[in-house]
Amino acid sequence: MYSTPFLDLPPLLKAGGTVRLPGSKSISNRVLLLAGLSSGTTVVHDLLDSDDTRVMLASLRELGCEIDSTGQTLRIAGLGGRLKNRDAKLFLGNAGTAMRPLAAALAVMTATQGGRFELSGVQRMHERPIGDLVDALRQLGCRIDYLGTDGYPPLRLSAGSGSVRTTAPIRVRGDVSSQFLTALLLALPLVSATSPVAIEVEGELISKPYIEITLNLLTRFGIEVQRDGWERFTIPQGSAYRSPGDIHVEGDASSASYFVALGAIAATDSPIRIEGVGLDSIQGDIRFVEAARAMGANVSCGPGWLEVKRGAWPLKAIDLDCNNIPDAAMTLAVMALYAKGTTRLTNIASWRVKETDRIAAMATELRKLGATVTEGADFIEVSPPSHWRAAAIHTYDDHRVAMCFSLAAFNSLARAKPPTPVRILDPKCVGKTFPHYFETLFSVVETDTPLIPVLAVDGPSSSGKGTVASAVAQALGYHFLDSGAVYRATALAAMRAGLTPADEHAVALLAATLDLAFEDGSIRLAGEEVSDLLRDEAVGSMASKISALPTVRSALRELQLSFRKVPGLVADGRDMGTVIFPGADLKVFLTASAAKRAERRHKQLILKGISASIDNLRADLEARDARDQNRTVAPLKPAQDAVLLDNSDLSIEDSVKWVLDAWEQRRSF
Ligand code: DC
């Protein structure tokens, strides 16, 4: 997951390949609550692991549920409708799918069983309405107090009279958030033992497909709700949750929308195949497929899968009532950037009370890219840019804003000149529903190599370039090439094969077929973790010798070039800016006085328990500098267009900041 302050997407050109979707947020949180309330143990498969499910799980644990997870499955021993812990403060982040149903379930349980609970969330959660749900629960006799602003969380739930009034129908508004009705439907079976419980919906019910998910899952847990149209729902007397045993969570249909759109925009050769959700989905957002088709997507589907290719191009503008697909409809607003004409999305007033005011957010950010946007209380109209602009997209702590705007990186397909990168601010907000969204996206997109940014950090031994470059890579969310490790790994492999530097061709052959992988800080040579071995002095000395062999250097060129992948690369070494990436966007030549470098090396050795004399180390470094500078192949020297940084008197943090500032000055945001 990217937890950097921003993530720059280079201009992207094409897409194709297979993605597997994370589990549906709506299904996951409903299943967790139902499993937690049921009698019996439920084994949940393919649950979404994200911010919103984590807060639900933490709350259930707090309430006394026993939960074990192994790999992709989770076992929940349900409470059987009886509170184990009657006093808790629950923090629910910004998860509406946790706040609303938990508030309802705990309200009726405290009313009948006693207890005291406080439910709070992040600031935005305290701005999202819950008054209509509280009003409905108060009709039952539940005691609920607002701890901040009336009508909004945080809430306190207190013990009631020991029973609830269920003889008259419970009335609830349906036109603000369908989650109020979902919350009641999930909670009221808890109090249906002696009489049926009816719910009447006031106002036009929005987002009906989410209610269908709720009803569907209630059936799986033994509750058959009777429904009269969308106005009246009755929970039969004697209803009780029963665990279905095993339950599978299907992939998230809203998350699928980004990949459906991706296929429609950029799958010109092979399709984007989406696994985890398909024709048989119980999620309303699967109907996004129809909207995408109307815009020109070529979609085929089967049970549990979708395949999407580009159909019409440019895309076709549409005028669509999006009440049934409120979340996925945000993706349509970004697809509109690639359409001919004006796209109009209507009946989306609920956008204003979601993770952020989504109508305002989409309008502001689409305009930054150059689009013409008109917004109203419950609609948005988008016409594509005539001139695309590079933009830093503010994401408002809203996962969907971050995910749908990543699609703007395909602007060159809409003839943006020049192709424009897109900056996504606070990319970690995708963690709400799709923590590895960007990694998944990057696994199925392509671009021209010259469009992928490279930052080269060259310099002499012990200049700190490795530490600085790796920290810069981390700060930017870019790939990292430690070219010294590539030479060291070649040296290790050569030593193991019994070769000497005199066997130049044999070493070069070995270099050309080196099975080397860098993954999350580990370095694997033919599958074996070798990070520590590579730091060995003997390996370093062999690396120094074989790195002077021209055929070895050229044999390792391809391998080093292959690190240049979306979203970008930070490469460190002796010749990154001069030989391997001469067109790098920024070249930094990092150096420090021989005295300072000797001091740093000395410290490193002492830490490792190796004694050494500073004077000797300094003499060694000076000799090595002279050798490196004067060798005929790839001599150590700054590229002509490199910026020099003498970091003799700078800390690592200062050097990193200096490089990041220099990088920022070259970017167009
Ligand atoms: O940076 P380092 O100490 O890990 O590098 C190991 C050896 O490889 C060192 O002798 C320099 C050499 N090298 C090179 O010649 N070119 C590079 N791009 C990186 C390292």
Side-chain angles (χ1 to χ4, degrees):
M1 181 161 139
Y2 288 90
S3 50
T4 51
F6 58 83
L7 177 61
D8 289 347
L9 310 179
L12 301 172
L13 297 178
K14 212 181 197 184
T18 301
V19 295
R20 172 122 211 124
L21 294 172
S24 152
K25 172 186 69 163
S26 303
I27 297 179
S28 292
N29 265 357
R30 284 170 175 78
V31 162
L32 286 178
L33 182 65
L34 286 167
L37 296 175
S38 285
S39 49
T41 295
T42 308
V43 180
V44 187
H45 300 263
D46 301 324
L47 185 82
L48 170 65
D49 177 12
S50 77
D51 297 347
D52 280 12
T53 52
R54 243 168 267 144
V55 293
M56 178 64 101
L57 277 168
S59 299
L60 291 176
R61 284 203 171 96
E62 187 74 24
L63 297 174
C65 287
E66 279 167 33
I67 302 174
D68 301 314
S69 73
T70 41
Q72 295 291 86
T73 61
L74 197 84
R75 289 179 85 82
I76 304 182
L79 297 170
R82 300 296 307 167
L83 283 169
K84 269 198 195 164
N85 178 4
R86 303 213 168 150
D87 188 353
K89 290 188 174 161
L90 305 179
F91 175 76
L92 302 171
N94 196 8
T97 54
M99 174 62 83
R100 279 74 179 256
L102 269 172
L106 288 174
V108 296
M109 288 203 276
T110 46
T112 50
Q113 300 171 32
R116 185 186 162 93
F117 295 95
E118 283 183 20
L119 274 56
S120 67
V122 297
Q123 182 52 36
R124 174 62 187 167
M125 179 53 95
H126 298 172
E127 296 164 4
R128 297 175 67 183
I130 199 164
D132 295 317
L133 176 61
V134 168
D135 289 348
L137 291 164
R138 283 177 174 164
Q139 294 165 45
L140 287 151
C142 298
R143 279 187 54 204
I144 305 172
D145 297 306
Y146 295 112
L147 299 177
T149 313
D150 273 9
Y152 300 86
L155 305 177
R156 184 174 48 227
L157 317 174
S158 314
S161 61
S163 65
V164 288
R165 290 188 294 274
T166 52
T167 39
I170 314 302
R171 301 182 64 78
V172 66
R173 271 182 71 177
D175 54 354
V176 175
S177 167
S178 67
Q179 283 180 6
F180 302 152
L181 176 56
T182 278
L184 292 175
L185 287 167
L186 292 175
L188 295 181
L190 288 164
V191 289
S192 63
T194 53
S195 70
V197 189
I199 307 167
E200 281 179 9
V201 179
E202 292 177 341
E204 169 76 14
L205 179 64
I206 61 167
S207 314
K208 296 184 184 80
Y210 286 101
I211 301 302
E212 301 212 47
I213 297 181
T214 305
L215 296 176
N216 198 307
L217 293 173
L218 278 165
T219 305
R220 298 292 308 279
F221 281 84
I223 316 279
E224 290 294 346
V225 177
Q226 290 153 12
R227 175 165 83 81
D228 300 316
W230 293 101
E231 286 100 46
R232 194 183 161 94
F233 299 80
T234 308
I235 296 156
Q237 178 180 341
S239 293
Y241 305 109
R242 271 192 320 277
S243 166
D246 284 58
I247 189 158
H248 287 260
V249 175
E250 60 178 75
D252 195 297
S254 315
S255 299
S257 73
Y258 312 110
F259 294 95
V260 173
L262 177 67
I265 294 165
T268 44
D269 291 342
S270 45
I272 288 285
R273 185 179 166 89
I274 302 162
E275 293 185 346
V277 73
L279 260 189
D280 51 341
S281 174
I282 64 165
Q283 300 167 72
D285 268 359
I286 195 67
R287 290 190 216 162
F288 173 83
V289 165
E290 290 157 28
R293 277 187 181 133
M295 291 192 83
N298 182 344
V299 188
S300 46
C301 44
W305 62 270
L306 303 168
E307 269 188 20
V308 192
K309 283 188 78 164
R310 186 195 271 185
W313 192 256
L315 295 176
K316 292 181 262 188
I318 52 168
D319 185 338
L320 189 72
D321 179 328
C322 295
N323 194 270
N324 282 335
I325 51 166
D327 286 359
M330 293 167 75
T331 312
L332 298 173
V334 177
M335 288 173 80
L337 295 169
Y338 301 98
K340 190 167 166 4
T342 301
T343 293
R344 188 176 153 83
L345 308 175
T346 58
N347 207 355
I348 51 169
S350 68
W351 281 21
R352 296 217 182 259
V353 293
K354 297 276 174 140
E355 280 79 343
T356 183
D357 176 341
R358 286 178 165 169
I359 295 185
M362 294 302 287
T364 307
E365 304 309 312
L366 286 164
R367 284 188 192 117
K368 281 188 192 165
L369 293 164
T372 305
V373 184
T374 310
E375 60 168 299
D378 65 349
F379 75 89
I380 191 166
E381 277 179 11
V382 185
S383 310
S386 42
H387 296 289
W388 285 78
R389 291 192 294 261
I393 302 297
H394 192 85
T395 49
Y396 308 85
D397 202 16
D398 185 341
H399 53 142
R400 302 211 182 282
V401 175
M403 294 191 276
C404 64
F405 273 92
S406 65
L407 298 167
F410 288 92
N411 51 70
S412 53
L413 303 180
R415 299 208 183 80
K417 283 200 180 73
T420 330
V422 176
R423 172 167 290 184
I424 304 289
L425 298 171
D426 189 28
K428 72 170 182 317
C429 67
V430 301
K432 191 169 203 288
T433 50
F434 200 156
H436 292 106
Y437 172 73
F438 290 107
E439 291 85 342
T440 309
L441 176 72
F442 295 156
S443 72
V444 289
V445 298
E446 286 174 39
T447 192
D448 284 346
T449 308
L451 290 171
I452 303 175
V454 177
L455 193 167
V457 184
D458 291 354
S461 199
S462 297
S463 59
K465 62 186 184 311
T467 316
V468 170
S470 124
V472 168
Q474 214 161 43
L476 295 173
Y478 281 3
H479 299 280
F480 173 53
L481 166 60
D482 171 357
S483 62
V486 172
Y487 283 96
R488 286 169 182 268
T490 309
L492 178 63
M495 287 159 78
R496 285 179 167 177
L499 300 173
T500 72
D503 306 311
E504 177 165 353
H505 287 284
V507 179
L509 204 64
L510 196 149
T513 54
L514 203 64
D515 176 6
L516 189 63
F518 292 80
E519 280 155 18
D520 302 326
S522 84
I523 306 175
R524 294 186 178 277
L525 183 61
E528 178 192 345
E529 161 66 81
V530 292
S531 311
D532 288 340
L533 283 175
L534 296 190
R535 302 316 309 171
D536 194 83
E537 288 298 326
V539 173
S541 157
M542 179 71 163
S544 161
K545 291 175 189 139
I546 59 154
S547 65
L549 305 172
T551 48
V552 172
R553 294 200 81 83
S554 59
L556 289 173
R557 197 166 162 271
E558 281 305 315
L559 175 62
Q560 295 176 81
L561 289 175
S562 73
F563 279 75
R564 187 174 191 176
K565 285 188 297 211
V566 173
L569 175 68
V570 179
D572 99 73
R574 306 284 197 285
D575 61 344
M576 295 298 101
T578 47
V579 179
I580 307 294
F581 302 107
D585 303 73
L586 173 66
K587 302 171 185 178
V588 177
F589 194 84
L590 203 62
T591 187
S593 66
K596 275 283 174 190
R597 287 186 285 135
E599 221 176 86
R600 290 176 187 164
R601 185 91 186 103
H602 187 247
K603 256 195 204 148
Q604 277 176 353
L605 291 175
I606 299 287
L607 275 177
K608 280 200 208 160
I610 302 168
S611 64
S613 114
I614 293 205
D615 289 342
N616 288 348
L617 286 171
R618 180 173 169 166
D620 274 359
L621 279 171
E622 282 171 341
R624 199 196 277 206
D625 285 355
R627 234 184 9 248
D628 280 355
Q629 280 157 16
N630 298 322
R631 72 185 180 195
T632 44
V633 277
L636 175 67
K637 61 170 194 303
Q640 275 193 336
D641 50 350
V643 286
L644 302 186
L645 173 61
D646 184 327
N647 71 357
S648 301
D649 298 314
L650 292 183
S651 65
I652 291 292
E653 294 73 34
D654 287 340
S655 305
V656 170
K657 185 170 178 316
W658 190 94
V659 175
L660 287 171
D661 286 347
W663 180 249
E664 198 53 28
Q665 280 167 23
R666 309 251 165 145
R667 306 254 80 197
S668 42
F669 303 106

